Amino acid sequence: MTTTDVRLDTKNMSGRLPGTWGLGLRRGALEIRQFFRQRDQVVFTFAFPVVFLFLFASIFSDDVKGAGVTASQLYVPAMMAAGIMSTSFQSLGISIAIERDEKVLRRLRGTPMPPAAYFLGKIWLVLVTGALETAILLVVGTTLYGVDLPSDPGRWADFGWIFVLGLTACALLGIAVSSVPKSGKSATSVVVLPFLVLQFISGVYISVDTIPDWMLNIGALFPLKWMCQGLRGVFLPDSAKVLEQAGDWEFGRIALVLGAWCAGGLLLCLLTFRWKDRRDG
């Protein structure tokens, strides 16, 4: 084959290359396959919130006075919100830091793949795992703890935008926080600690009516508190509004806060994301 033939063949091949969205879809399929090949990671990811839901719902199962729900029912939407954040913020914050430390990001940056395709692949991964996690918790909640599925299509619409905005905001924050750990070995400690604290002050493990206002105000600065509140508004009766800090579901404010975190998270990603670790300059 002559040099001219090679150039023509390369040109033809490049003309058949998929665009950024197509490459992002293929990258997402690869990420999903790699995730499900690691059975211990799959079991831990999906079983962890279910086990915690079972423990807390079994320990605290009494009726909540004046709310028309049981304590165990309060945990179902809260654990769903925590599961969404776990499969996005925690998962991406740790995995991207490890990939950077192992020079995977550096090698990918040197390929013709557009950088956006890499992030689209991660978004597809968290979308699939987040949806599966939510479905599992919803099945457990409806079968074991008497949580009723909404009959109003408007409630399902609320669930849809809360899921999408919450997942997007947490995924972007996970990408941004992945630049904080100095190495892949320290990523778990750096990412898990703030996530654990947020779960306690955002109404995941402790009912919001028993958390001090100053803690709730700190939790209100982050997406998890609003995801918990929104999902409670979707799956619990309106009588449970009395347990909220404002005495209402505040769907409008939830949309504003989660939307602001999507914009802010994107800005943080643009300002902080690095393809190389600090040791490489």
Side-chain angles (χ1 to χ4, degrees):
M1 181 179 292
T2 66
T3 303
T4 302
D5 292 334
V6 171
R7 289 176 179 172
L8 288 173
D9 186 57
T10 303
K11 183 178 180 180
N12 291 334
M13 288 178 61
S14 63
R16 293 194 299 268
L17 285 175
T20 301
W21 285 102
L23 287 172
L25 184 60
R26 295 186 182 188
R27 180 72 196 177
L30 176 62
E31 294 273 2
I32 293 168
R33 287 199 300 270
Q34 289 177 337
F35 172 80
F36 282 101
R37 284 173 182 169
Q38 303 176 37
R39 295 183 180 179
D40 53 343
Q41 182 182 3
V42 173
V43 172
F44 179 83
T45 299
F46 293 129
F48 186 81
V50 174
V51 170
F52 266 68
L53 172 60
F54 176 76
L55 289 174
F56 278 92
S58 298
I59 296 171
F60 306 101
S61 57
D62 296 334
D63 292 340
V64 180
K65 186 177 180 180
V69 295
T70 64
S72 58
Q73 289 173 328
L74 281 174
Y75 282 112
V76 175
M79 287 297 181
M80 289 170 61
I84 292 171
M85 192 167 186
S86 174
T87 56
S88 51
F89 171 80
Q90 179 174 289
S91 175
L92 292 187
I94 295 173
S95 64
I96 293 177
I98 293 174
E99 289 177 355
R100 181 184 294 111
D101 192 47
E102 294 178 348
K103 307 295 189 286
V104 175
L105 295 187
R106 189 173 182 177
R107 291 194 294 271
L108 287 175
R109 191 69 180 90
T111 67
M113 182 184 73
Y118 170 77
F119 298 109
L120 286 172
K122 292 295 186 183
I123 294 297
W124 279 115
L125 173 63
V126 300
L127 180 62
V128 170
T129 54
L132 286 174
E133 182 80 87
T134 303
I136 292 171
L137 287 167
L138 191 55
V139 169
V140 173
T142 54
T143 56
L144 297 182
Y145 302 112
V147 173
D148 294 326
L149 294 177
S151 57
D152 180 6
R155 288 291 178 94
W156 283 111
D158 290 332
F159 169 76
W161 64 257
I162 291 170
F163 176 83
V164 171
L165 288 180
L167 187 77
T168 303
C170 292
L172 290 170
L173 284 176
I175 295 172
V177 82
S178 70
S179 298
V180 175
K182 294 183 178 179
S183 67
K185 293 180 179 179
S186 64
T188 300
S189 300
V190 171
V191 176
V192 171
L193 179 59
F195 178 42
L196 182 62
V197 172
L198 278 179
Q199 289 179 84
F200 275 97
I201 65 175
S202 300
V204 175
Y205 298 134
I206 302 173
S207 178
V208 291
D209 62 329
T210 61
I211 301 174
D213 283 343
W214 67 270
M215 285 190 179
L216 282 176
N217 291 335
I218 294 175
L221 298 174
F222 300 94
L224 183 57
K225 185 262 187 189
W226 301 101
M227 292 162 59
C228 291
Q229 184 171 317
L231 292 178
R232 283 193 293 267
V234 170
F235 294 105
L236 298 182
D238 286 340
S239 58
K241 287 181 181 180
V242 297
L243 301 176
E244 301 299 334
Q245 190 177 20
D248 191 54
W249 300 130
E250 299 182 289
F251 284 119
R253 178 175 289 186
I254 293 169
L256 287 174
V257 173
L258 294 182
W261 267 113
C262 288
L266 178 60
L267 180 61
L268 284 174
C269 289
L270 295 174
L271 293 175
T272 64
F273 186 80
R274 296 177 289 104
W275 293 92
K276 299 183 293 182
D277 60 30
R278 295 185 178 92
R279 291 168 294 181
D280 295 329

